[in-house]
């Protein structure tokens, strides 16, 4: 298979407005792919070279891409720049200036290995090396392929292919229906590597997929928490539970393989370089291999206080890590051990896993077990919740003592109860920005007015609209949104977005914001939870509380299923503080 073949499919999929079509077209591409090619194809269609958790990037900025286009086409950089100003998309510039022909186009494996060479070049001379290799690849490609290659390099592939869509397409390609999606998804939850799954599926079939195991070095998709309206509902549904403080920090999964330690975020990114003290502490633990799950949080040694999420999150910036580690050291409250010395512990009941933590962490001051209490009384749970809130924590997470660790699942094994606002439990939702309307009045100066926002339908791997948001941001906040939205503009509604409204500008679903609203109501304007001609759900009086983008991918946003549950719980939301 050539790069041009894949580019032709990318073009077709880009023009697709329906998600079913998207799955079918991708399945068709897969049926034409050999076992040797399927892994690179799977990464490339998502604009990657390797799985998401591997920190391998091409490292090509706009300037370098422009220089490469100039070199490949033999035109002056000024001309490339001018065209970029007119067309606004370097992919289109590369397409227009392309001199290559499809006859010469490299194979997908060849293109992938040349891109890997670009990613691997670092240090002195690497800029020239990247430019030269990229230019020679561009030179060998036809116009359409050049367009997609440039977009891949800049992380601007127009096509937003969600992980479930890829898994469903694999199932369709082999079986002609979506029946294998659950087993593929289960393997994905254990390995987080779509390329590996595709290759294993092609070479070893369903048996191979079932045999894909949890491995140190590959993040496990995190278990997530459900919501219930109040402590009474929790005890009624779960009975005896363990209760832990809910820290408002950053989810971390720590993998130790001898001296090699990696820290992964909730959305499977490698954070090892940023969380140096966690890496150092994990190295000192005595077990040879470990996977730990916990929450990292900044600790201010002067005031002896934990800091807010935003401040902890500032540690993710790549620069000044050492200074930051000194002024705002991180600690992690470890609440789970998932793997130890070659053994997968996820099937064990939580009580047994937790009991190992003391021994595993061996008195480390950086990695400490999240404290826990046990109760089967709603009064006691209410008291613990309020105690934690008065200490400045977010609330509590309640867990079933007998539950296995279910990778990637959001179910009632874990339930979160958050802070109370004016006597009511009030929780925020995470929404994905899908479009915006041009502003009126003061906000015209920022170029945008209300934002169209949506939730994630995990079942169908699509985004449904739920509200328009007009408030909650400072002027600086609006400016920031505008800048980010600028890069995400697309001409037409993306295939994975389901909407009855047409905003002035559509956005590629990427930015996640945390939103507080007064209430969920049924309504006819939005598609969230809408089945057939029935009503959907909408949020009343939404306001943005924070940007969560770095922490969550669009697929990590609040789901339609959660909205339906929250709506059902609303009526019963009386709390006894
Ligand atoms: P939410 O992000 O609101 O869905 O809440 C779930 C998140 O709470 C998890 O992903 C963790 O990052 C965080 N968290 C904080 N403390 C705990 C805890 N003790 N157990 C589990 N998750 C926790």
């Amino acid at each position: 298979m050539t790069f041009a073949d894949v580019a032709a499919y990318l073009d077709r999929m880009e023009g697709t407005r329906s998600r079913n079509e998207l799955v079918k077209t991708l399945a068709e591409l897969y049926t034409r792919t050999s076992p040797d090619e399927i892994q690179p194809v799977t990464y490339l269609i998502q604009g990657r070279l390797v799985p998401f958790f591997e920190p391998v990037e091409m490292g090509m900025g706009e300037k370098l891409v422009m220089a490469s286009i100039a070199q490949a086409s033999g035109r002056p950089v000024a001309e490339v720049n001018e065209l970029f100003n007119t067309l606004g998309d370097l992919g289109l510039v590369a397409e227009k200036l392309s001199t290559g022909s499809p006859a010469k186009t490299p194979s997908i494996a060849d293109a992938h290995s040349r891109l890997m060479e670009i990613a691997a070049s670092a240090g002195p001379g690497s800029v020239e090396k990247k430019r030269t290799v990229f230019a020679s690849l561009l030179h060998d490609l036809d116009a359409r392929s050049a367009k997609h290659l440039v977009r891949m390099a800049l992380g601007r592939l127009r096509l937003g292919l969600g992980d479930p869509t890829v898994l469903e397409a694999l199932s369709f390609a082999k079986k002609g229906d979506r029946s294998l999606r659950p087993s593929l998804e289960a393997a994905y939850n254990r390995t987080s590597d779509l390329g590996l799954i595709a290759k294993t599926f092609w070479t070893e079939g369903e048996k191979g997929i079932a045999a894909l195991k949890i491995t140190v070095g590959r993040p496990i998709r995190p278990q997530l928490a459900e919501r219930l309206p109040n402590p009474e509902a929790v005890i009624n549904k779960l009975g005896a539970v363990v209760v832990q403080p809910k820290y408002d920090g950053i989810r971390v999964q720590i993998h130790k393989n001898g001296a090699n330690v990696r820290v992964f975020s909730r959305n499977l990114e490698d954070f090892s370089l940023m969380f140096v003290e966690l890496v150092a502490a994990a190295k000192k633990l005595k077990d040879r291999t470990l996977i730990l799950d916990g929450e990292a949080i900044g600790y201010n040694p002067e005031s002896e206080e934990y800091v807010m999420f935003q401040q902890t999150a500032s540690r993710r910036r790549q620069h000044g890590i050492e200074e930051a580690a000194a002024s705002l050291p991180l600690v992690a409250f470890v609440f789970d051990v998932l793997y130890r010395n070659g053994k997968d512990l996820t099937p064990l009941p939580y009580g047994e896993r937790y009991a190992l933590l003391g021994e595993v962490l061996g008195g480390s001051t950086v990695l400490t077990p999240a404290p826990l209490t046990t109760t089967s009384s709603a009064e006691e749970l209410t008291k613990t919740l309020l105690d934690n809130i008065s200490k400045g924590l977010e609330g509590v997470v309640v867990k079933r003592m007998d539950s296995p660790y279910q990778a990637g699942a959001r179910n009632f094994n874990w339930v979160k109860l958050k802070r109370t606002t004016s006597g009511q439990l009030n929780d925020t939702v995470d929404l994905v920005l899908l479009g915006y309307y041009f502003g009126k009045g003061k906000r015209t100066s920022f170029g945008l007015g209300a934002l169209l926002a949506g939730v994630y339908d995990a079942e169908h791997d699509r985004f449904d609209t739920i509200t328009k948001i007009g408030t909650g941001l400072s002027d600086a906040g609006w400016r920031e949104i505008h800048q980010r939205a600028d890069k995400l503009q697309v001409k037409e509604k993306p295939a994975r977005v389901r909407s009855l409204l047409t905003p002035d500008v559509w956005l590629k679903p990427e930015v996640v914001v945390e939103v507080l609203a007064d209430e969920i109501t049924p309504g006819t304007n939005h598609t969230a939870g809408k089945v057939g001609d029935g009503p959907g759900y909408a949020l009343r009086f939404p306001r943005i509380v924070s940007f969560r983008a770095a922490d969550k991918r669009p697929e990590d946003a609040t789901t339609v299923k959660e909205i339906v549950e929250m709506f059902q719980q609303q009526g019963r939301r009386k709390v006894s503080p």
Side-chain angles (χ1 to χ4, degrees):
M1 174 170 286
T2 64
F3 192 92
D5 293 331
V6 175
Y9 276 99
L10 288 175
D11 247 22
R12 261 176 69 189
M13 288 191 278
E14 246 182 41
T16 301
R17 300 274 77 85
S18 117
R19 191 199 160 245
N20 281 346
E21 261 320 292
L22 200 60
V23 172
K24 296 242 163 71
T25 314
L26 183 55
E28 190 188 312
L29 162 64
Y30 271 140
T31 51
R32 294 185 48 197
T33 311
S34 77
D36 291 342
E37 299 162 336
I38 198 161
Q39 197 157 4
V41 165
T42 300
Y43 300 134
L44 286 170
I45 54 169
Q46 288 197 315
R48 302 276 310 158
L49 297 177
V50 289
F52 196 72
F53 59 82
E54 296 291 356
V56 172
E57 306 285 345
M58 282 180 238
M60 303 274 304
E62 278 179 357
K63 260 194 154 155
L64 196 49
V65 168
M66 282 200 268
S68 308
I69 296 175
Q71 188 173 337
S73 61
R75 309 285 180 97
V77 176
E79 188 184 329
V80 176
N81 204 353
E82 217 165 275
L83 255 181
F84 182 31
N85 286 338
T86 331
L87 298 174
D89 170 3
L90 279 173
L92 295 179
V93 175
E95 183 177 37
K96 192 156 183 137
L97 297 181
S98 167
T99 53
S101 74
K104 252 175 55 177
T105 188
S107 72
I108 197 76
D110 178 26
H112 182 263
S113 76
R114 285 154 83 174
L115 292 173
M116 284 298 278
E117 202 183 323
I118 292 174
S121 69
S126 62
V127 173
E128 288 74 43
K129 170 100 194 269
K130 282 181 198 284
R131 192 191 62 223
T132 309
V133 179
F134 197 73
S136 94
L137 184 52
L138 267 181
H139 184 76
D140 292 348
L141 290 174
D142 62 291
R144 178 161 64 194
S145 301
K147 174 181 77 179
H148 291 293
L149 179 77
V150 161
R151 287 179 182 165
M152 277 176 195
L154 294 171
R156 308 244 174 93
L157 219 50
R158 290 292 168 85
L159 196 66
L161 276 179
D163 302 337
T165 296
V166 174
L167 295 169
E168 204 164 307
L170 285 168
S171 173
F172 263 99
K174 264 261 149 84
K175 252 299 198 34
D177 59 31
R178 53 173 62 87
S179 62
L180 296 180
R181 180 173 148 184
S183 54
L184 291 165
E185 216 155 62
Y188 182 55
N189 287 336
R190 297 191 296 270
T191 62
S192 306
D193 186 342
L194 285 176
L196 172 78
I197 285 169
K199 183 170 171 95
T200 310
F201 193 34
W202 250 230
T203 50
E204 296 165 47
E206 283 173 68
K207 262 203 184 137
I209 289 297
L212 278 175
K213 292 273 177 296
I214 284 176
T215 312
V216 180
R218 277 188 213 130
I220 302 170
R221 301 197 61 230
Q223 158 102 43
L224 299 169
E226 269 285 356
R227 294 176 169 89
L228 280 173
N230 54 40
E232 287 78 15
V234 172
I235 299 298
N236 283 344
K237 186 154 183 110
L238 279 74
V241 289
V242 299
V243 192
Q244 284 175 338
K246 186 172 192 302
Y247 302 98
D248 191 12
I250 294 177
R251 184 82 175 260
V252 286
Q253 202 177 90
I254 304 171
H255 287 232
K256 173 179 195 222
N257 192 356
N260 184 4
V261 174
R262 295 176 71 182
V263 181
F264 298 106
S265 68
R266 171 195 164 115
N267 66 7
L268 314 175
E269 257 180 281
D270 187 322
F271 276 6
S272 315
L273 285 178
M274 286 159 262
F275 293 169
V276 281
E277 54 276 69
L278 304 187
V279 172
K283 275 189 192 161
K284 289 192 200 133
L285 301 178
K286 66 179 187 320
D287 289 309
R288 196 177 41 78
T289 56
L290 280 173
I291 301 179
L292 304 171
D293 193 3
E295 187 88 351
I297 185 160
Y299 179 72
N300 182 338
E302 259 167 46
S303 64
E304 298 185 0
E305 278 174 350
Y306 298 115
V307 305
M308 304 287 288
F309 169 80
Q310 294 301 344
Q311 231 180 317
T312 306
S314 70
R315 278 291 303 274
R316 274 190 305 236
R317 283 189 222 111
Q318 301 260 0
H319 304 293
I321 295 293
E322 272 163 34
E323 298 82 64
S327 63
L328 186 66
L330 284 180
V331 295
F333 288 98
V334 179
F335 41 75
D336 225 317
V337 50
L338 311 180
Y339 189 92
R340 187 185 187 201
N341 294 330
K343 192 161 182 262
D344 175 4
L345 306 179
T346 57
L348 293 182
Y350 182 51
E352 283 183 38
R353 298 196 307 274
Y354 186 83
L356 297 171
L357 277 180
E359 191 188 314
V360 167
L361 301 176
S364 164
T365 50
V366 177
L367 303 174
T368 53
L372 148 170
T373 55
T374 317
T375 186
S376 51
S377 133
E379 289 75 48
E380 225 171 270
L381 178 54
T382 307
K383 188 173 169 306
T384 316
L385 170 64
L386 295 175
D387 274 358
N388 277 293
I389 288 160
S390 65
K391 282 189 215 147
L393 290 155
E394 249 197 319
V396 295
V397 183
V398 174
K399 299 176 184 177
R400 285 180 62 140
M401 195 68 132
D402 58 359
S403 59
Y405 189 93
Q406 285 177 286
R410 187 189 291 282
N411 57 32
F412 290 96
N413 288 341
W414 290 16
V415 175
K416 56 187 174 187
L417 281 172
K418 290 207 198 171
R419 68 179 89 89
T420 59
T421 313
S422 57
Q424 283 216 316
L425 276 185
N426 216 333
D427 201 357
T428 56
V429 288
D430 296 317
L431 304 186
V432 187
L433 301 186
L434 302 175
Y436 66 79
Y437 294 83
F438 293 130
K440 289 196 191 77
K442 184 173 144 216
R443 260 185 237 134
T444 33
S445 60
F446 309 131
L448 51 82
L451 295 155
L452 182 63
V455 287
Y456 182 55
D457 179 340
E459 169 69 23
H460 301 99
D461 188 21
R462 71 180 176 214
F463 299 95
D464 287 356
T465 76
I466 192 161
T467 197
K468 282 199 225 167
I469 313 170
T471 54
L473 278 179
S474 61
D475 288 359
W478 279 109
R479 243 173 251 124
E480 184 179 339
I481 288 258
H482 187 201
Q483 274 166 7
R484 294 170 67 171
D486 254 3
K487 300 201 181 100
L488 300 173
Q489 286 192 21
V490 281
K491 283 213 184 74
E492 286 176 83
K493 185 186 74 59
R496 284 199 299 157
V497 174
R498 191 168 68 129
S499 178
L500 303 170
L501 303 171
T502 307
D504 292 323
V505 175
W506 286 108
L507 299 177
K508 192 171 148 189
E510 213 168 279
V511 176
V512 179
V513 293
E514 189 181 5
V515 169
L516 193 63
D518 279 9
E519 173 175 41
I520 300 171
T521 55
T524 50
N525 284 342
H526 293 283
T527 51
K530 183 176 168 65
V531 181
D533 292 335
Y537 293 95
L539 297 183
R540 244 162 78 90
F541 302 128
R543 55 255 181 212
I544 294 183
V545 183
S546 76
F547 293 96
R548 298 291 305 235
D551 192 36
K552 291 188 177 167
R553 286 207 271 172
E555 291 83 5
D556 296 322
T558 300
T559 60
V560 169
K561 186 164 159 266
E562 286 178 88
I563 292 291
V564 175
E565 285 165 3
M566 287 169 85
F567 176 72
Q568 287 162 354
Q569 289 170 9
Q570 244 172 205
R572 292 179 270 137
R573 202 196 259 173
K574 289 275 174 311
V575 96
S576 38

